Amino acid sequence: MRCRTFFRLTLVWVTSTAASAQTGTLDPFVVEAVEQSPWMAAPGYSGQSLTRDALTKETGSTISDRLLGRGGFRLFRRQSSLAAHPTTQGAALRVAGPNGASRTTVYLDGVPINDPFGGWVPWTALSTQEIAHTDIVQPSGIDPWGNVSLGGSVRMEGRRSDPFWSFEGVFGNVLNHQLANAFLLASQDGATRVYGSWSSLQTAGYHIIRQNQRGSIDQKATVEADAVMLGIAHDFDGAWSLSGDLR
């Protein structure tokens, strides 16, 4: 047994030495990366951007209503978020058919707001007063979570730069009330900013079933939604910044 072990070790050593003797030196191979614009892929993707002024001029009580039709945007059952069940409010763009789980990822300040379980979006919890601009890109050409946004992306940016204060109030017979307020306060040097928003929405409801098909249990689909957000941001020497939101 000892001889066999010694013979095997010697054979491996000889083979390794022979292989090392035949190894040569390869010529250097250099790989260089060329810096590209973040929107380099823009020609390959179709998209649309909406400023705050354009978003304000659109009709609708929620963000989803105001984005309707832009870039093929629609909800799962083509109903307004004021009447649709929350689990059917998944977003979709033109390139993919809609479903409840949403094939489109919606971002607010770079953070996905789709429900982590079902993928739908809480549209009634978003205040129209806090949105600065919105980018719609199809398919997923702007986000790192492409595997959950095969149909595209909706990127919303909040008003986080200049101080402001805004309020909106709407009252009616079907839309009982819609109140929204947003603000931003900044220090003298502008390095520290405190921002927030709140909204309250209540409707009298809509019948989502035809009159000749309604039964005694078919009631109006109503909405009661209240949302509050408070955040703080600070810039460090203009090189980087730190921010946090509480919703």
Side-chain angles (χ1 to χ4, degrees):
M1 293 298 293
R2 292 182 180 177
C3 293
R4 289 182 179 179
T5 304
F6 179 79
F7 177 77
R8 289 179 181 177
L9 291 175
T10 303
L11 181 60
V12 172
W13 178 81
V14 172
T15 305
S16 177
T17 303
S20 300
Q22 296 177 359
T23 302
T25 303
L26 298 177
D27 295 333
F29 187 82
V30 181
V31 178
E32 296 182 356
V34 180
E35 185 178 358
Q36 300 287 352
S37 168
W39 288 93
M40 178 189 65
Y45 302 97
S46 60
Q48 190 171 9
S49 297
L50 283 83
T51 63
R52 171 161 179 78
D53 291 337
L55 197 62
T56 304
K57 293 177 182 178
E58 294 291 334
T59 59
S61 301
T62 62
I63 295 291
S64 60
D65 289 344
R66 299 188 183 191
L67 294 179
L68 188 62
R70 296 279 187 165
F73 178 90
R74 63 191 184 279
L75 299 185
F76 175 37
R77 291 182 176 171
R78 302 177 186 269
Q79 293 176 333
S80 169
S81 55
L82 295 180
H85 191 274
T87 59
T88 65
Q89 295 185 24
L93 300 180
R94 184 180 297 113
V95 296
N99 63 359
S102 183
R103 290 190 175 98
T104 299
T105 303
V106 182
Y107 302 90
L108 179 59
D109 293 331
V111 179
I113 60 176
N114 298 67
D115 183 87
F117 173 75
W120 49 80
V121 182
W123 297 107
T124 54
L126 300 176
S127 173
T128 57
Q129 297 299 304
E130 66 170 315
I131 304 302
H133 69 271
T134 303
D135 296 323
I136 301 176
V137 175
Q138 44 172 299
S140 52
I142 63 172
D143 60 275
W145 290 277
N147 61 317
V148 292
S149 57
L150 300 178
S153 304
V154 177
R155 184 177 62 182
M156 298 180 291
E157 297 291 338
R159 303 165 71 180
R160 305 287 186 260
S161 55
D162 301 324
F164 73 94
W165 187 92
S166 63
F167 175 81
E168 179 184 36
V170 179
F171 300 89
N173 56 345
V174 177
L175 180 62
N176 289 348
H177 72 261
Q178 181 183 18
L179 306 174
N181 171 240
F183 67 91
L184 185 145
L185 306 175
S187 59
Q188 263 190 339
D189 58 358
T192 303
R193 301 177 300 279
V194 177
Y195 51 88
S197 67
W198 65 268
S199 62
S200 177
L201 175 65
Q202 184 181 31
T203 68
Y206 302 84
H207 281 297
I208 58 177
I209 300 178
R210 293 180 180 178
Q211 185 174 3
N212 59 356
Q213 297 178 351
R214 295 177 201 158
S216 57
I217 64 172
D218 295 319
Q219 304 296 321
K220 293 182 178 180
T222 61
V223 173
E224 293 184 10
D226 299 284
V228 178
M229 184 274 291
L230 184 64
I232 185 171
H234 183 77
D235 296 332
F236 296 88
D237 300 328
W240 59 285
S241 62
L242 180 65
S243 64
D245 298 352
L246 179 63
R247 294 179 180 270

